[in-house]
Structure formats: structure tokens, C-alpha cells
Amino acid sequence: MRAPLLNLLLITGVAGASLAQACISLAQAQTAAPQTAAVSPDAIRQREQELEAARARQKSAEEAQAKLKAEITSLGQDRTQLNQQLIDTAANVRSVETKIDETEARLRALNGREQAMRSSLDSRRADIVEVLAALQRAGRRTPPALLVRPEDALQSLRTAMLLGAVVPELRGRAEKIASELGELVALRKNIATERDQLASDRDKVRSDQTRLTALVDERQRQQAAREKDLNAENSRAIMLSKQVGDLQGLITKMEQDLQSAAKAAEKAAEAAKLAEAKAAATAKPGPGVFKDRSRTTPAIVFASAKGLLPLPVNGNKIRDFGGSDGVGGVQKGISLATKPGSQVTTPCDGWVVYSGPFRSYGQLLILNAGGGYHVLIAGMERISVNIGQFVLTGEPVATMGSTSQVASILATNASQPVLYVEFRKDGTPIDPGPWWAANEGEKVRG
């Protein structure tokens, strides 16, 4: 198996560890059985079931590993197919991340309602006890455990009312309690359904993230094969970054002094001229303009991409362009609060002119989008693209950490991952708002 796919061994390793542990547990149980009566047949059966489950997990992991390896091998050097797989898988990950957020929000609301309802019922415990006791006398049967099994209490109430076993005054009270208990039972079913959906979505996002990691590794392996001096270039970039004090100085220094960044800037300038000539003869572009995964230059002029670009990460906007930066200045970009480990994708086509740490920005990625435009993305824990590399809109380029990686002036909550995004035109920060797709703008309002 090739080195970029070694991370997939973790799946098999985890499953193998589970299988080994289950085998040990079963062996211990069977060895200890003749010596002590503490291990019951039920315990033995349970450990056998755990062993079978561990074997099934290991087999499933091995099959998934083999399938993914075969798929990536089949891609070969086909950059178009690899791009398609990368972008589609990254989109799936972000889509499931959104579903998980929505499900968690619904669960919080449902759990709150359940707690409020149980508190309400608990506050009228005496009334419920009185009604159930009356039912006991009418039916000569023991009342169900109160609020431990609301389904039982609800069934008793409904049965008694159907049989006319309660007097009108008691019937009214019983109907009210039955209504609340019925709502509580339905609420519990909804909560169980949402929890099942959440577990399913989490399993899916883990699977997609494993696939995405393997695809990113393969992309970078191919890139490294084409650019033999990548390590030296990256080291030189970090050294040059320490010689400048601001972002514009960093961009200038990279595009002047670093060979791969200079080539990227030159390609960006050439592509912008061609795209401008093409744009003059075509109608206003739509989202479909980004469908060609084989392109090696931006699909459209950056200035013409207004209203088309996706946000680079799922999150909530906590600071907007032009607002206060928290220290008496003005915010030059936007800040998005994200979840730990969130996938970061490129908001536009462009060439990487810087990738690495930079002062208080943490890990910083700078893209030259052509036409004098640069996009800066900061605050990630790990960047997975190299200087000089051309990336497509929606392509995975980084992952967030578990806490904020940027300076406190860029984030309101240092314990939460925060992504900072800044657009620049000829070195001057500009409002990125007009470039975001309409549905993306709706996502971050708030």
C-alpha cells in the first residue's frame, strides 16, 4: 500500500484492537469459569457477541480500506478525476456537518421541552397520584410507576376512560394528564429518532473524512512528484515570512523572491488577461461556470464572480468587514466561528503564494486569484496545499483545530476555532460580502 494511504491503516488498527480485546475478554471469561461461579452463561454469551461484533468491524474496515485503495489507484495521474473526487467528497463532508449541526439544534430544543414537561408533571405529582389511585380502586390493579414509564400510566388512563370507569370530574383531570403524557411519549420518540439520525450522520462524516484524507494525500503526493524542490521552497517561504511585518509585505516578498510563488503570480496575471477578454464576449456567469474540473486557470475573472463564491467553512459569522476589531480598530475581513476539525475549502480558484505560519495569524494561506485580487485565509491548524499549487473553488485545503489558532483580535472566543477570511485588491482590504453566494450569506447571518 502506498504511503499516502497509510492513514487508512488506523481504521483496521482500531478494529483489530477491538477484536483482540474481545478475544482476551472471552478467553478470560472461559478460563475463569471453572474457578469461580462469578461468570454467568449470560456474561459468556455477551463476550462472544462482542467478539463477533469486533470481527465484523474489522472485516468491514478491511473491505473499506481495499475499496478506497483500489479507487484511488484507478485515478492514476488523472488530475481531472482526482479534482472531481476531492471537491465532491469535501462538499459531502460539509453537507453532513451542516446536517449534524441542525440535528444537534433540534435535539437541544426537544430535550428542553422534555425537561420542561417532566418538571410540569412532577410539580403536579400529588394530583397524578390521586388520579392513578382512583383508577387502582376502580380497576383493582396496581398503578404503574409514576413517570418512570409514562407509556404505562398513559395506557391505564386511556383504558379507564374508555371503560367509563371514572366519574366526570376525575375523567377531566385524567384526560388532561393523559394528553400531557401522550405528548411526552411522542416527544421521546422524536428524540430517539433524532439521536439515531445523528449517530448515522456522524458515522457518515467519519467515513467521508477518511476518504477525503486519502484523496488529499494522493493529490499532494502527485504534486510533490511534479515539484521536487517543494520542501526547500516551503522552508525558504517560512524564512522570508519572518523578515516582513505585515500581510502586504508578505505577499510582495513571496511573489518577488520565491520561485514557485513568482511563477504562480505570473500565471495569475496571464490568466486574468485572457479571462477578461473572454468575459467581455459572454453573458453574466452562473454557478455552472465552476463545473469544469480539468481547468488549470480560474474559470472566470475574480471581479465577475460576485454572488457566486461559497464560504470556505461551515460556521457562524462573529465579526463582519468594517466592524470593530475589538481593540479600537476596524475589521479588515470576516471571522467565522467553526466546530473543531471542520473542513476548510477554497472560496475561489487561484494559485497558492503562501502556505504556513505568519505572526499572530497562525497558519495562513494566501491565494492569488488574478486581476490584482488576493484571498487570505487564517486560523487553520493544518494546511494541505503547497506554494505554487493551483486550486479550484470548493477544493479542500485545510482543517480547523480544536481551539482558536489566530490572535485574540481576530476572534471573540479564544477557546473556539475561528477562521479569518480577507479579500484584497491591489493590496487594499475590500468587503468580501458581494462575492458570497446568496445562500451562503443566509448561513452566516446572526
Side-chain angles (χ1 to χ4, degrees), residues 302 305-313 317 320 334 336 346-348 375 377 421-423 431-442 444:
F302 190 81
K306 290 182 179 179
L308 298 177
L309 303 186
L311 285 167
V313 73
K317 187 187 293 183
D320 207 349
I334 65 171
L336 301 167
T346 49
C348 64
V375 174
I377 308 173
V421 185
E422 184 176 307
F423 285 9
D431 182 6
W435 272 266
W436 304 129
N439 59 328
E440 298 289 350
E442 292 294 329
V444 297

Side-chain angles (χ1 to χ4, degrees), residues 210-328:
T210 298
R211 177 182 180 81
L212 189 60
T213 298
L215 289 166
V216 167
D217 285 347
E218 176 63 13
R219 177 192 64 189
Q220 294 315 108
R221 187 194 69 79
Q222 293 184 13
Q223 180 73 14
R226 290 190 291 266
E227 301 287 344
K228 295 181 180 179
D229 298 325
L230 278 178
N231 289 335
E233 282 277 84
N234 288 336
S235 298
R236 177 164 165 72
I238 301 302
M239 181 185 71
L240 290 174
S241 72
K242 296 177 180 178
Q243 300 173 11
V244 294
D246 58 32
L247 285 171
Q248 191 53 40
L250 176 63
I251 294 172
T252 302
K253 192 133 188 99
M254 292 300 105
E255 295 185 340
Q256 285 180 350
D257 295 6
L258 202 65
Q259 184 179 6
S260 56
K263 285 182 180 179
E266 185 179 343
K267 289 179 181 178
E270 292 174 357
K273 290 179 182 178
L274 292 173
E276 284 171 4
K278 187 188 295 184
T282 58
K284 180 175 173 58
V289 74
F290 300 117
K291 287 185 178 179
D292 177 14
R293 309 301 194 201
S294 64
R295 63 187 186 274
T296 55
T297 59
I300 51 175
V301 180
F302 190 81
S304 300
K306 290 182 179 179
L308 298 177
L309 303 186
L311 285 167
V313 73
N314 291 332
N316 300 313
K317 187 187 293 183
I318 55 176
R319 285 194 177 161
D320 207 349
F321 177 85
S324 170
D325 64 1
V327 291

Side-chain angles (χ1 to χ4, degrees), residues 50 70 101 143 224 382 417 424 444:
E50 290 172 356
D101 288 343
R382 187 175 72 88
R424 289 192 168 215
V444 297

